[in-house]
Amino acid sequence: MRRPLSAALVLGALGCAGWLVAGVWGDLVQAGSGTVQALWIVPAAVAVHLLQLLLSALGWRILVVHSPIGLAGFFRLRLMREGLNTVLPLAHIGG
């Protein structure tokens, strides 16, 4: 009695998976095509984001008058803040 039931469950699962793949495949191909076409913008977006981080670090460096660390140190702190906010999006760190 257990063998037909498990075979039916396996066949049902394979049928559902096949139906899902057949229904979604066209959308996946279209999304992949759009992603490849928009891939050229990624370096520009990274450059703009790094520039924004550098300017924020410069602002903090100007605000903290007698700082023992330089602009590079503030930039590293900004990168760490970005990383923490990415990993823990519910706990925004710093200003």
Side-chain angles (χ1 to χ4, degrees):
M1 185 80 175
R2 294 193 88 199
R3 196 167 285 243
L5 180 61
S6 62
L9 288 174
V10 168
L11 287 175
L14 286 174
C16 287
W19 178 71
L20 183 65
V21 167
V24 174
W25 185 257
D27 293 335
L28 288 177
V29 169
Q30 186 177 7
S33 167
T35 302
V36 168
Q37 289 176 354
L39 198 57
W40 65 271
I41 197 71
V42 172
V46 169
V48 167
H49 188 65
L50 287 175
L51 178 64
Q52 180 265 329
L53 285 175
L54 181 65
L55 292 175
S56 294
L58 182 61
W60 277 107
R61 175 67 182 101
I62 291 170
L63 284 175
V64 181
V65 179
H66 300 293
S67 173
I69 60 175
L71 180 60
F74 278 101
F75 185 71
R76 280 189 298 253
L77 288 172
R78 290 293 300 175
L79 286 176
M80 286 188 267
R81 178 189 175 268
E82 280 292 313
L84 283 173
N85 283 340
T86 301
V87 173
L88 305 169
L90 300 178
H92 291 285
I93 309 296

